[in-house]
Amino acid sequence: MKPTQHAEQAALILKDRAEKLGDYRTLYENIATRANLSLGDKIAPGKKITAADITKILVEMKLARMDCGKPDSDHIWDAANYLFLFGGLTDEK
């Protein structure tokens, strides 16, 4: 696939997930809340994991999967979309 074809596929997946899962801000804020509750005393006092932090963690997960296996376009599209979500979470404030 050419880079533009990867970008088009990533956009289609992002649109599909939005239709199925709803607003990404709500989803990632909920995940961040759960992470903060789960990790509690492991997080430095006064610090909190944010929704944008969650998207970066998920990018790292996809990159780790790429390192552990054969090339898979799904990892490329998902990693790109997590970065796009990071952009949305940090640019819209």
Side-chain angles (χ1 to χ4, degrees):
M1 286 180 106
K2 295 181 180 182
T4 54
Q5 292 171 305
H6 279 290
E8 290 167 0
Q9 184 61 35
L12 290 172
I13 292 168
L14 197 60
K15 182 177 184 269
D16 178 65
R17 296 300 190 280
E19 290 170 0
K20 288 180 182 174
L21 302 174
D23 182 60
Y24 68 93
R25 288 176 296 271
T26 301
L27 173 63
Y28 288 93
E29 286 169 5
N30 286 342
I31 296 170
T33 297
R34 296 175 67 86
N36 285 304
L37 290 170
S38 295
L39 298 173
D41 61 347
K42 295 179 181 178
I43 300 171
K47 300 290 184 180
K48 293 278 185 193
I49 294 171
T50 67
D53 293 331
I54 296 297
T55 63
K56 293 191 306 185
I57 292 167
L58 293 171
V59 169
E60 292 297 339
M61 177 193 63
K62 286 298 182 172
L63 294 174
R65 285 184 178 172
M66 291 168 72
D67 291 343
C68 292
K70 61 182 180 177
D72 186 337
S73 293
D74 178 68
H75 300 323
I76 296 167
W77 303 327
D78 285 348
N81 282 334
Y82 291 133
L83 288 171
F84 299 147
L85 293 169
F86 175 85
L89 289 164
T90 56
D91 292 347
E92 293 178 359
K93 291 185 177 188

